[in-house]
Amino acid sequence: MKKIIKHTFFVFLFSVARLYAQVPANWSVNPNDYNHSMIITCVLNVNSEESRNTQDVITAFIGADVRGVASPITYLKSQDRYVATLIVYSNDQNVPITFKVYDQSNNVVSNSPVEAINFVADGIIGTLENPFVFSDSSIPKKIKYNNLLTPNGDGHNDVLVIEKLALFNQYTLSIYDIRGQKVYETTNYQNDWSGNDLLNGEYYIYISGTDQDKNKFIYKEVLHLVKKS
């Protein structure tokens, strides 16, 4: 299988080499240095959306060494998605593989929050029909939240819900009224604020901090509070 994998790798490398102009220069691997390989068929989620950019890159590491590089260059018309074939190389069994994602459109490298996968010689993870999903650790460009708050106990929009807070490394959430007075602040939001003690009206959400790769961010959004009169 090693010969087949090496042949596949060189065909793959030739077909995508021109894509790597902005990828870190050390993201390369020589399969001749290793006795074993495994294949991960995967898709990439970049900025919370499945990648359709053939210049995005997923890279496998064992320790600090690059052991596999791939891009989503295989288009599946039946599924309307782009799939990558990541070939990972090693001389040792059961060593943890970690991953990084290169977002070409923003020229950003981030760690993938996917848990480490142990290397298994001749192992196969994912298929074209059911690919493994790698995501980057970038926070969304815009937060998703319910901008209408109606705390009336009907179970719908009773509290402010902000999605994907797990992607934030450190943050401060502050809410202000139209006069600029702070009415709420936390560094550990649990999607449980109702604003039930406030007057109806327009409020402003500010979230600032860093993502898992220590990139700074700030969001400014509007929230409408409507309670029963």
Side-chain angles (χ1 to χ4, degrees):
M1 181 173 179
K2 183 180 177 183
K3 290 182 179 179
I4 296 175
I5 294 299
K6 286 183 178 179
H7 174 73
T8 303
F9 174 82
F10 283 118
V11 171
F12 167 79
L13 185 61
F14 176 78
S15 64
V16 301
R18 63 187 180 87
L19 301 179
Y20 290 164
Q22 299 180 59
V23 177
N26 63 338
W27 279 18
S28 62
V29 59
N30 183 357
N32 291 311
D33 292 338
Y34 304 100
N35 295 320
H36 307 293
S37 63
M38 66 183 293
I39 298 176
I40 304 176
T41 302
C42 56
V43 294
L44 309 185
N45 276 354
V46 177
N47 291 317
S48 302
E49 295 182 357
E50 190 167 295
S51 174
R52 301 177 66 85
N53 186 345
T54 58
Q55 297 187 57
D56 288 338
V57 180
I58 177 70
T59 300
F61 291 81
I62 294 180
D65 298 330
V66 174
R67 298 296 182 89
V69 182
S71 288
I73 61 170
T74 301
Y75 177 65
L76 301 181
K77 185 176 181 180
S78 61
Q79 300 181 38
D80 189 29
R81 70 195 315 190
Y82 287 79
V83 176
T85 302
L86 177 62
I87 304 172
V88 184
Y89 299 91
S90 178
N91 289 323
D92 302 308
Q93 294 273 22
N94 297 317
V95 289
I97 310 167
T98 57
F99 304 90
K100 291 187 178 183
V101 175
Y102 172 68
D103 171 10
Q104 186 271 339
S105 62
N106 293 304
N107 196 26
V108 171
V109 173
S110 62
N111 296 312
S112 175
V114 170
E115 292 186 6
I117 296 172
N118 284 344
F119 181 88
V120 177
D122 299 334
I124 296 176
I125 296 177
T127 64
L128 292 177
E129 294 75 22
N130 186 28
F132 189 84
V133 178
F134 286 106
S135 61
D136 64 2
S137 59
S138 299
I139 58 174
K141 293 180 179 179
K142 290 184 67 67
I143 62 170
K144 293 183 179 180
Y145 72 107
N146 51 316
N147 62 356
L148 176 63
L149 202 56
T150 57
N152 55 18
D154 66 354
H156 183 65
N157 288 332
D158 285 332
V159 295
L160 171 64
V161 176
I162 302 174
E163 297 184 16
K164 299 185 182 296
L165 282 174
L167 295 179
F168 303 155
N169 180 48
Q170 294 179 334
Y171 67 90
T172 299
L173 164 65
S174 305
I175 300 177
Y176 296 83
D177 63 18
I178 58 174
R179 297 170 297 176
Q181 181 177 348
K182 187 186 300 180
V183 297
Y184 179 79
E185 186 170 81
T186 182
T187 58
N188 184 28
Y189 187 55
Q190 301 298 313
N191 284 333
D192 56 1
W193 185 77
S194 67
N196 202 37
D197 57 338
L198 300 175
L199 298 175
N200 287 350
E202 190 173 89
Y203 293 83
Y204 302 95
I205 301 171
Y206 287 79
I207 306 178
S208 61
T210 58
D211 64 17
Q212 293 181 2
D213 292 311
K214 307 301 174 65
N215 299 310
K216 294 182 179 180
F217 66 86
I218 184 167
Y219 295 112
K220 300 178 182 180
E221 303 290 350
V222 178
L223 176 67
H224 301 277
L225 175 62
V226 179
K227 300 186 294 183
K228 287 183 178 180
S229 56

